Amino acid sequence: MTEHAIRTLLVANRGEIALRVMRTAQSMGIRCIAVYSEADRTAPFVRQADAAVAIGPAAAAESYLKVDRILAAAREHGADAIHPGYGFLSENTALAEQCQAEGIRFIGPPASAIAAMGSKSAAKALIAEAGVPLVPGYHGDDQSLARFRDEAENTGFPMLIKASAGGGGKGMRVVRGMDELEEAIAAAQREASASFGDDHLLMERYLENPRHVEVQVMFDSHGKGLYLFDRDCSVQRRHQKIIEEAPAPGIPEAIRKSMGEAAVRCGEAIGYIGAGTVEFLYEPGGYFYFMEMNTRLQVEHPVTELITGLDLVEWQIRIANGEALPWAQDRLACRGHAMEARVYAEDPDNDFLPVTGRLHHLREPMDLPHVRIDSGVAEGQDITPWYDPMLAKVITWGEDRDTARQRLIDALARYEVMGVTLNTDFVARVLREPDFANGELTTHFIETHAEALRTPEFAPEEQQALSWLAWQQAARSEGVPGPWSMQDSFRLGGPRQQRCELRIGDQDSTLGYEMINARRARLQADGDSPALTLSWQPADHGALTVQLNGRRVRLAWASHGEKLGLFAGNTSWTALVNHPEEQVQDADSDAHLTAPMHGRVIAVNCAEGDTVEPGKSLVVMEAMKMEHSLKAPAKGRVVALHCAEGDSVGAGQVLVDFEAEEDA
C-alpha cells in the first residue's frame, strides 16, 4: 500500500465515462471532483460530483485539454488523484508527468509507458524486440520518397500508409500500386500534420479482411501482469467502433492464449502499470499481428467487466493505492458472453454525420435483466457540436453469444430519444445480419453489407399506419370520457371511414382509417397501396404490441408540441398527424373555433360582429403544405377574432369566438 488511500479524486473528463468513474469511486468512499466546460454546466456528470469546477469555454482545446486548469482545480479541492477517463488527456504525458511532480496520483500508467506507445513507429520497434508478431512493413525514421518506394517493393501491395502519431483513421491511405504511392504519401502527410502536428508516416502490408481483436491487460506496481481475456471490435464505421463483444468469437483457445501472453509481454516491455489494451489484427488461420497499445481505459471495457465480474475502474484505483493483483492467470475465468453498442447522435443514412439537437424525450432501458446502460445524458439536455457524439453505451450479457445478441437488439428497441437522430436502428440491423449472427466478422463488415444494411425495418405504408395508431392512442388518452371517445366507427350520418393527414420526414400523405373495434383498425393510404389491417394490445410502460403484416411490433411514442416521436421495433422517426374533422367536433361542442393543428393563418374571411351563414369559411390555415378551413358551425355571429393573417398558431389555440342564433 501507499502512504494513504485516495480520498479525493478529480475526474478529468466528461459525459458517460466521467459518470461511470464517479459511481465506482463514490461507492469506495472517495470524494469526486468534476471539471466542466461552459457547454456542460448542467450535464449529469456535473450533478453527480461532490464538487465541480468550471475550466473554460465549450471548445475542448480551451477547457478539457488545458492541463494547467485541471491541475489548478485539483489543487483547489485537495485532490490526491486524477482519473483521465479515455480521450482528451488520457494518454497525455505532460499531465502524467506534472501529476507526479505535484504528488498527485495519475490513474494510469507512468508517463514513460505512455510515451513509449505514443509513436506507432517506436512502439512497433519495441514490441518486435519483445517477440510480438508485427505486420510486415516499414516503421523507420527515413521519410524520403525514395525510401518509401524501396520499402513498398519489399512490403508488397496492397499496402497501408498511416500516421505514426495518431489514430481514428486520420492520415491513413490504402495503396494498391506503385502509381498511387506518391500521391497517397503526400495526402497522408498533410492530414497527419493537420491532425497531430506530426507528419511522420509508417507503412505496412494491408490485410484485406482482418478482424480487430484486442486484449485487456492489468498490471500492478509490483511487477505482476495479467490478461483479462479478449474482445472483438471489428464492426466499425470510419475506422471507429460501434459494436464490441467479449470474448472474441471463433478464435481457437491456443491462439487466444498466445494472444493474451503476447499482450502481457507488450506491457512488460514498457514497465506498464494499470489497465491497458493491446490491439491486434487477426486473420483467418490463426495469425495475429500487433497494431497498437492504448495506455488507458477503453470505451468498451464494460464487456470485459461482464464476463469477468471485475470492476476495472475499482482495480485502477486499487492499483494506484499500491495494492497487488491477487489472482493467478490460470484462476481467472471467462463466464458467458457480453456485447456493447455505442449509441451515437448521428445519421447513418447521411454517411454517419453527427447531429445536434435537444433531447426532448429520453427513456433508457434501465430495468431489463442482464442489460447495463452507461449513459452520460439526461432528458432536456442539448447535444452540441463540441464533443464526440457518443451519448451512451448499451451492454448486454448472456449465457452464450446469441443470447447476448438478442438481448442487445431488444434493449436497443427500448432506447427512446426524441429530438436528435440516433444510430440505434442501424446497429440493430447489423446485429440481425446473418453474417454477424454467425460470427463472420471483419473490419470491412459495414462496407461489405452496405446494401443489406440500408434496408429499412418498415415500408412507408407501415410507418404511416404506426404513426396513425400512436396519434390515435395519444389523442384518446388526452380526451374526455364520453361518446366521442368510443373506439369504434359508429357515426350518425357520414362515412364509416375517416381521414387524417400525415407528414413523416418531408413526405406528406393522406390516410383513410376505419375502426373495426376498440383494438383493431383497417387503413388505406393514398395512392395504390393495399389496405392494411392492424390490431394491438397494451404492453409495458404504456407501449403497445402491434400485429402488423404478420409480425409483432412493439410501438411506443412521445409528444413534443405538435410532433409525435415514434419508436417501433428498432426504428424511430418523427411524425405530424392532423385530423380535419377535429375542428368540426370542437365547433359543434362549444362557442370557440380552435386550430386543429399547428400551422399558419393564411386568410381571415370575417370580422368581429359579422353575421354569417352555416358553412361560411371564417379562417383558413396552412399546415404541412395543405389548407384547412375553419367554418361556421351554424348561423350566428362572430363575437371576437383572436388571430390575423400570417400568425403562427398552435393546436387547440382559440381563433374565433362564435355565438350561434338561438334557433340555429
Side-chain angles (χ1 to χ4, degrees), residues 292-590:
E292 62 183 348
M293 182 175 187
N294 290 309
T295 54
R296 53 172 167 79
L297 196 67
Q298 291 278 90
V299 175
E300 57 271 22
H301 74 275
V303 293
T304 295
E305 294 184 322
L306 291 188
I307 65 167
T308 61
L310 300 175
D311 184 325
L312 298 190
V313 172
E314 176 186 351
W315 276 100
Q316 284 186 297
I317 294 171
R318 288 181 178 276
I319 289 168
N321 279 335
E323 291 190 34
L325 294 172
W327 319 286
Q329 183 68 64
D330 60 4
R331 302 293 293 176
L332 291 170
C334 172
R335 187 178 69 90
H337 202 95
M339 280 192 184
E340 173 181 290
R342 302 189 188 191
V343 178
Y344 283 103
E346 65 182 14
D347 185 357
D349 294 329
N350 191 17
D351 196 27
F352 301 96
L353 189 71
V355 297
T356 59
R358 176 166 293 178
L359 300 177
H360 298 304
H361 167 81
L362 172 66
R363 176 179 288 166
E364 297 174 312
M366 298 288 192
D367 56 351
L368 298 177
H370 302 299
V371 174
R372 166 177 164 177
I373 309 295
D374 283 14
S375 178
V377 292
E379 189 168 282
Q381 185 175 343
D382 288 323
I383 306 305
T384 71
W386 296 105
Y387 312 115
D388 186 275
M390 191 180 79
L391 307 186
K393 302 176 302 197
V394 180
I395 314 104
T396 58
W397 179 88
E399 296 81 1
D400 53 49
R401 183 176 185 266
D402 200 58
T403 302
R405 183 182 69 89
Q406 291 289 353
R407 282 179 175 155
L408 187 51
I409 294 171
D410 292 343
L412 290 172
R414 288 164 171 77
Y415 199 101
E416 300 174 10
V417 161
M418 184 179 181
V420 297
T421 302
L422 298 184
N423 68 330
T424 49
D425 176 15
F426 181 83
V427 172
R429 294 182 210 173
V430 174
L431 294 168
R432 289 193 297 264
E433 176 62 33
D435 281 352
F436 184 92
N438 294 329
E440 298 173 11
L441 309 174
T442 78
T443 55
H444 307 302
F445 187 93
I446 288 177
E447 296 91 332
T448 301
H449 298 82
E451 185 173 349
L453 295 176
R454 278 194 293 267
T455 304
E457 189 173 356
F458 298 103
E461 60 271 17
E462 293 176 323
Q463 280 194 318
Q464 293 166 4
L466 292 168
S467 299
W468 167 83
L469 178 56
W471 165 80
Q472 187 257 9
Q473 293 290 305
R476 180 189 179 194
S477 67
E478 295 171 2
V480 178
W484 300 116
S485 64
M486 295 292 289
Q487 297 295 294
D488 58 33
S489 290
F490 177 78
R491 306 181 78 197
L492 289 173
R496 289 172 60 85
Q497 188 182 78
Q498 301 178 66
R499 298 174 68 77
C500 65
E501 297 157 346
L502 298 96
R503 170 175 289 175
I504 299 174
D506 58 358
Q507 296 298 310
D508 296 327
S509 58
T510 302
L511 193 68
Y513 67 92
E514 176 185 340
M515 297 296 300
I516 299 171
N517 57 44
R519 292 181 178 173
R520 189 174 178 85
R522 184 178 296 109
L523 300 100
Q524 175 71 57
D526 50 8
D528 298 325
S529 299
L532 284 176
T533 299
L534 70 164
S535 59
W536 57 90
Q537 295 289 335
D540 59 305
H541 300 295
L544 298 177
T545 298
V546 184
Q547 290 285 349
L548 175 66
N549 279 342
R551 58 177 167 157
R552 290 163 58 90
V553 176
R554 183 182 187 274
L555 174 66
W557 59 89
S559 299
H560 179 71
E562 73 278 13
K563 293 183 179 180
L564 272 176
L566 282 298
F567 314 104
N570 288 104
T571 304
S572 63
W573 65 90
T574 301
L576 283 169
V577 185
N578 292 331
H579 199 297
E581 297 187 5
E582 286 181 2
Q583 180 266 322
V584 175
Q585 291 178 6
D586 287 343
D588 287 342
S589 61
D590 58 34

Side-chain angles (χ1 to χ4, degrees), residues 581-660:
E581 297 187 5
E582 286 181 2
Q583 180 266 322
V584 175
Q585 291 178 6
D586 287 343
D588 287 342
S589 61
D590 58 34
H592 306 294
L593 298 186
T594 61
M597 77 293 287
H598 178 86
R600 186 171 65 89
V601 175
I602 60 172
V604 177
N605 300 324
C606 62
E608 291 183 2
D610 283 359
T611 298
V612 296
E613 296 297 316
K616 161 72 174 174
S617 174
L618 305 182
V619 175
V620 181
M621 289 181 56
E622 180 184 62
M624 299 188 348
K625 302 180 183 177
M626 304 175 193
E627 292 187 3
H628 306 269
S629 185
L630 279 68
K631 298 177 181 180
K635 184 175 181 179
R637 186 171 66 89
V638 176
V639 176
L641 271 174
H642 302 287
C643 64
E645 186 176 326
D647 285 355
S648 292
V649 296
Q653 182 175 332
V654 175
L655 304 184
V656 179
D657 289 337
F658 184 82
E659 183 179 78

Side-chain angles (χ1 to χ4, degrees), residues 93 110-124 126-127 269-271 295:
T93 54
S112 58
I114 298 174
M117 288 296 166
S119 166
K120 288 185 173 65
S121 297
K124 294 197 173 190
L126 189 65
I127 292 309
I270 59 173
T295 54

